[in-house]
Structure formats: structure tokens, C-alpha cells
Amino acid sequence: MKNAMKPRGLRLPRALALCCAVMPAWALAQQTVRLDGASLTYEQVALVARSGAKVEIAPEARRRVARGHDVVLAAAQADMPIYGLNRGVGAARQVAVLEGQRENAADVRKSSEAFNRNLLISHSRATGPATDAAIVRAALTARLNTALTGASGMQAEIADMYAALLNAGITPVVPRDASVGEADIFLLSYTGLAMMGLGEVLVDGRRVPAAQALRAAGIAPVRPFAKDALAIMSSNAYSAGHAALVAYDLGRLLDRADLVFAASLEALNGNVAPLLPDSVAARPFPGHREAAGRIAALLDGSYLWKKDPARFSQDPLSFRTTPQLHGALRQQFQTLTAHLRTQLNASDDNPVILLDVTPAEGAREQEARYYVKGTVEGRPVTGAVVPTAHFEPVGWALDAQAMAVGLSHLSNHSMQRANRLATKDFTGIDLLDGQPPGSLAGFWKTANVLQTRIYAETVPVSSLVQPSARDIEDVGTQAPLVVERLDHAAELAYRMLAVELAVAAQVVEQRQRQHPDLALGRATAALLGDTRKAMAAQPAPRLPGGDIDAAYLKLR
């Protein structure tokens, strides 16, 4: 534990997850995550966003931000046309701004600040309920870290403001609905408003004017300049930050799903043959071996490893195929988190600011036009300002969409297993026999509704985008909605697993009444025992729905 929670690193995801599970909230809030633009994990995003951990900017990363800003200024001095700096944005991408003022630096600065302010105000077009504060904090964390690559061109003072807001617990109020997933421009603009002291923010759960909150915290509002406004609002930090939080939850969900399945296998008196290493090796799909081995380990010490003539050789498919399904889900999860790690530690800026690059020998005119070499206030500058489509998140948005589909399979397997456990033909146990009125034998409609709801969250939406900005922005990914639906699907999957766990707990209880010496796996025994205690602790009259809720709380 001591090595896992180094305040200047937090580099160990597994140790971090363990610490978050056992450390009190006040201790988590005292942690510090160092951001360097290269090593942010989704676990760290969750620590900052949900637990209130502080952030600090690595000095070398802040220097990169300042150098990137110098490249922007040098390019502007060279009269390069730059999107969002001396040219408009969107449909106005060819419209020159700040013309005729290059001889007077004060006038240029004043006009640029006015342009940046207007850009942020004019793009604050979201509607709907306010986004959860944790998601906004995740977005701030994600954007700060990607800016620390130096590729955004923002002033270093803007990066400082991200850290100041996070560390002071000041969270911009961001309406939920406005982004089609090609940079969350109409959402992230609200974070820029808060930095300027405009709009509203949350402080200790209360909505207050941003200017008031900044004043109370002793934080001076920023005056965005040059490319700052575009850098603040043109990224996928909103959807990526939310995705990081969902990824954190998914890792735990997959672990809990393995444990609930193992408990259900004991409730069924199921066959462990599909878990045997030699059997799995005959069809070595990625993830299958890991899932089967993990489930087998959870059943260590269980009666299922002893021969039983009454045990079926072929269990229902919802039991037999679960190791394959859980293995496939873990593979999909690994793909999603690998892509998220890239997203959280790489630029999605347009244009992208590149440091210390020069045109290749023999570079053609169109290639060479993006490079700049000069000085800014006596500092030598070499780099490039290159138009990109780095705001395209389709690589991981499709992963998130696929993950939601996978969760619908997980939920369906869980529902079917619960149904089989409630059937005497499969278990030899009559759940109604000797049970109080609170028996879960009739949970089918509840499970059916949960499965229908999770299916609705998996309908693909990523290609449902209409052109905007005079048909220039004519595709999208709906990444914020895709992630939101994955979040909902994960919550519903937890609810379905709770139904299964509650039923399994009742079936195992019946088995142990018949066979008091029945041995359970060490892991499953703890889960089933705790669940039964929680279910029995309900106030009278004991409600079947209350049993599901009790099981849900044990899983979460």
C-alpha cells in the first residue's frame, strides 16, 4: 500500500484500484496526481474526478505548453493563416481576423482577447440538465493532460487555471446536450466561461456565479488570447473524461460478474468441466483462458470439485458459455482502455502545434508551408502548426459502442442463469418450498424489463449525425451519447447481476439446509454469506425487490 500511493505518481493501476476500495474518502482527497501529458490512466482520472484528489503539473510539461504557445505566436508573426488564431472557425474558417493591427502589439492583444472571449461565448450553445460534477472534473483533468503535450498552443496560464479549478473544487456547470462527438466544442466552451469568471459553477454542491467562486478562492480570471479559446473548447475531453470514469466502473463490473457467475454455478451444482485448462487450451481464444482461470480460482475449495453422480454433464448454455463471454468482454475492455490511454495522453487539437520539427529535405511547397522558425521575445522557436482531424474519436467511440453490446450479452446470460436457478428441473430446489412471501421465485418481469432497457442502450447511434457548419462538419461519432449509453448499460448490468445473486443466495441457502457440510469456494462463500445477511436485515415486511437492492449494494 505504501508503495502504491506515491503522491507524485500513482502509476500503478491495480494498486490504485485497491487503495480506492479501502481508503476513506478524506484520505483519497489528500492524494496528488502528477500530470505530465504522457502517463495519465483512467484510474487516476477517477481519483481526481470522484474522490477530489489534487493535481499538479510536471514542470517540464508546463514548459512544453509555454513553448507550444511560442510556436503559435511565431507563426502569427510570420503571417501564417491559422484556424482559430487569425482565421475564424467552422464555416468562417477562411475569414481573416485581427487584420490591419500587426503594427500595434497592444491593439493586437486587445482584439485577440475580444475574439477569444466572443468565441467561447458564442459556442456555449448546450441545453438540457447539468452534467454530473464528476464528469466535468474528469473532462477538466483529461483536457489539462492532453494540453500538457504542448500541442494545443494555449498559454501556460490556461493550463494553470485547469489545475486551479480542480484543486479548489470549482466545477463549471455544463449543460449535457450539444456535442456530436467531433470535439465537444459546445460543451467545453462552458469551462472557458468559468475560467473567465462567467457563467455558473458548482462549489460544495451549490451553484454560484463563477466570478464569486473565483474571488472566494483567490483565483484571478484568465483572459484567453491567441489560440486559447479554440484550445479550451476543441477537444474530446468531455466524452473521454466520462469514458475514463465508465472504464473504471467496467473493470470492477467484470470482476463482479465473474464472482456472481461462480456463485450461481454453486447454486446450480454445475459442472466445472468448461473451466478446465486442458479443455480451454483446445480453443484458445484471447481472454477465454484468463476468464476460465479466474472463475476456477474463485471456486477454490468448493464442493463442485468433488464428484457428484447427480450432477449434469451438460449445463444450460448460459452457464457453459459464460467463460467464453467473459473472456471476450475482457478483451474488448482491454482494447477500449488501451485506446483511451492514447486519447488521454495525446493531442486531439486542430491545428496541432509541433515542437522542434523542421521540413524534411526536399519537402514540397504544401508540406513546407506549415513550418515556422523565428523568435518570440528573444526566445528561438522552431516548430509547425498543422491542420489535422485529430479531434476524430472514432477509434475508441466504436470500442465503447461494442462494449455496450457486450454488456447486453452479459446481462442476458445473467438473466437466463437466474431463470434456470429458479427452476426445480435444473437445481432440484423448489424456491417456494418453505420460503417466506418474500421469495424471489417470481422475478421474471423485473429481469425482463432490465434486459429490455439494456438492449435499448446498445442500439448503435454513432453514425446518426447531420451536417453542420454549412456542411463542412458532415460526419460525427456521437461519442458523448455513446459513452453515456455505455454508462447506463453498465448500471443496468449491475442490477441484473443483483437479481441473479439474490436468487443464487436463496438457492444456496436451501442446499446448505439439506447439506449442512456443503463447502463453498472461499470467495463465493464470503459474497453469498454477506448477501444473505443483507437480505435478511430488511425491515419487515421483507420485500423481494428489497432483496435485489440488498444484493446490488453488495456488488457495488
Side-chain angles (χ1 to χ4, degrees):
M1 177 75 74
K2 185 174 180 180
N3 292 331
M5 293 300 287
K6 296 176 182 179
R8 295 177 65 86
L10 297 174
R11 304 292 189 213
L12 304 175
R14 289 186 182 274
L16 174 59
L18 175 61
C19 287
C20 289
V22 299
M23 292 182 70
W26 65 266
L28 292 173
Q30 297 303 310
Q31 302 304 312
T32 300
V33 175
R34 170 172 276 205
L35 301 178
D36 58 12
S39 58
L40 182 63
T41 67
Y42 66 85
E43 295 97 338
Q44 291 173 320
V45 173
L47 188 63
V48 174
R50 289 177 172 163
S51 300
K54 303 295 189 292
V55 299
E56 67 175 10
I57 298 173
E60 66 275 14
R62 190 181 187 279
R63 286 192 289 270
R64 276 197 302 272
V65 177
R67 292 181 63 219
H69 184 63
D70 279 352
V71 171
V72 168
L73 297 182
Q77 290 173 2
D79 203 23
M80 289 176 58
I82 300 173
Y83 185 79
L85 174 70
N86 53 24
R87 296 295 184 272
V89 299
R93 67 198 185 284
Q94 295 295 99
V95 177
V97 296
L98 311 180
E99 279 195 318
Q101 300 174 327
R102 288 192 294 272
E103 301 304 320
N104 189 319
D107 285 347
V108 170
R109 177 110 197 177
K110 183 177 179 181
S111 295
S112 178
E113 288 177 354
F115 172 68
N116 276 259
R117 177 186 173 93
N118 290 339
L119 204 60
L120 289 167
I121 292 173
S122 66
H123 283 73
S124 297
R125 304 181 184 184
T127 188
T131 300
D132 183 80
I135 296 174
V136 179
R137 285 181 58 82
L140 294 174
T141 307
R143 183 49 183 150
L144 172 55
N145 195 66
T146 57
L148 295 181
T149 62
S152 74
M154 68 171 57
Q155 299 180 85
E157 291 76 11
I158 301 296
D160 294 338
M161 182 56 113
Y162 280 101
L165 292 178
L166 287 166
N167 292 342
I170 298 173
T171 306
V173 173
V174 179
R176 185 191 63 191
D177 299 320
S179 173
V180 298
E182 293 291 300
D184 303 319
I185 293 175
F186 287 1
L187 301 176
L188 296 177
S189 56
Y190 288 83
T191 67
L193 295 184
M195 292 179 182
M196 296 188 295
L198 304 177
E200 290 187 310
V201 296
L202 286 173
V203 179
D204 295 329
R206 296 182 300 108
R207 288 176 73 144
V208 298
Q212 174 184 323
L214 294 180
R215 187 165 51 250
I219 301 172
V222 299
R223 300 172 70 92
F225 164 71
K227 188 179 171 287
D228 289 344
L230 187 64
I232 288 168
M233 67 186 187
S234 184
S235 78
N236 294 288
Y238 178 95
S239 47
H242 191 183
L245 298 183
V246 176
Y248 184 87
D249 294 338
L250 286 172
R252 180 171 174 81
L253 172 63
L254 295 180
D255 288 345
R256 303 304 268 175
D258 285 344
L259 185 55
V260 171
F261 169 65
S264 287
L265 201 63
E266 289 183 315
L268 183 73
N269 187 21
N271 198 325
V272 295
L275 305 176
L276 300 181
D278 287 342
S279 173
V280 174
R283 198 167 187 263
F285 271 87
H288 183 190
R289 179 175 299 180
E290 176 190 353
R294 177 179 171 81
I295 294 165
L298 293 171
L299 290 168
D300 184 39
S302 173
Y303 80 101
L304 296 182
W305 299 102
K306 294 183 177 180
K307 184 177 179 180
D308 184 351
R311 184 174 296 140
F312 293 123
S313 62
Q314 300 279 328
D315 291 331
L317 293 181
S318 55
F319 286 86
R320 270 189 287 157
T321 65
T322 288
Q324 285 94 331
L325 171 62
H326 286 196
L329 285 169
R330 287 189 179 276
Q331 283 297 114
Q332 184 61 54
F333 178 68
Q334 289 172 13
T335 300
L336 171 62
T337 54
H339 285 167
L340 275 179
R341 185 176 179 91
T342 299
Q343 169 65 41
L344 293 171
N345 294 284
S347 167
D348 49 4
D349 287 281
N350 171 45
V352 64
I353 312 305
L354 305 176
L355 304 177
D356 303 322
V357 295
T358 57
E361 185 177 351
R364 290 153 289 194
E365 289 183 356
Q366 184 64 29
E367 297 174 80
R369 64 177 296 191
Y370 302 115
Y371 292 82
V372 63
K373 189 177 181 68
T375 61
V376 173
E377 297 181 354
R379 297 184 295 273
V381 175
T382 301
V385 182
V386 185
T388 74
H390 291 344
F391 50 79
E392 174 58 72
V394 68
W396 60 264
L398 292 182
D399 294 334
Q401 192 165 259
M403 193 76 209
V405 174
L407 292 185
S408 73
H409 284 273
L410 183 150
S411 178
N412 185 53
H413 271 59
S414 177
M415 177 177 68
Q416 299 304 336
R417 288 194 301 267
N419 276 323
R420 302 300 87 76
L421 292 180
T423 305
K424 186 177 181 180
D425 290 346
F426 290 100
T427 63
I429 302 290
D430 185 352
L431 275 185
L432 294 177
D433 184 24
Q435 287 291 319
S439 170
L440 277 164
F443 64 89
W444 296 280
K445 290 181 180 179
T446 303
N448 197 319
V449 169
L450 290 173
Q451 184 60 23
T452 302
R453 284 172 58 83
I454 197 171
Y455 176 81
E457 299 292 353
T458 66
V459 176
V461 296
S462 60
S463 61
L464 297 177
V465 177
Q466 296 299 316
S468 60
R470 297 182 185 175
D471 293 346
I472 297 164
E473 299 169 9
D474 53 356
V475 297
T477 65
Q478 298 290 358
L481 181 58
V482 168
V483 174
E484 180 183 305
R485 289 159 71 89
L486 175 59
D487 197 352
H488 294 169
E491 169 65 15
L492 291 165
Y494 263 115
R495 293 284 176 185
M496 187 69 84
L497 288 171
V499 172
E500 179 185 2
L501 175 59
V503 176
Q506 288 196 1
V507 175
V508 168
E509 185 174 16
Q510 290 276 50
R511 286 197 183 281
Q512 289 185 317
R513 286 176 182 169
Q514 297 175 4
H515 306 284
D517 59 345
L518 192 73
L520 302 177
R522 281 184 284 275
T524 53
L527 176 66
L528 289 166
D530 289 346
T531 301
R532 287 200 298 266
K533 289 178 183 177
M535 290 162 60
Q538 284 191 68
R542 179 172 169 180
L543 305 177
D547 281 357
I548 296 173
D549 291 342
Y552 168 81
L553 292 175
K554 285 300 171 186
L555 289 178
R556 289 297 262 168

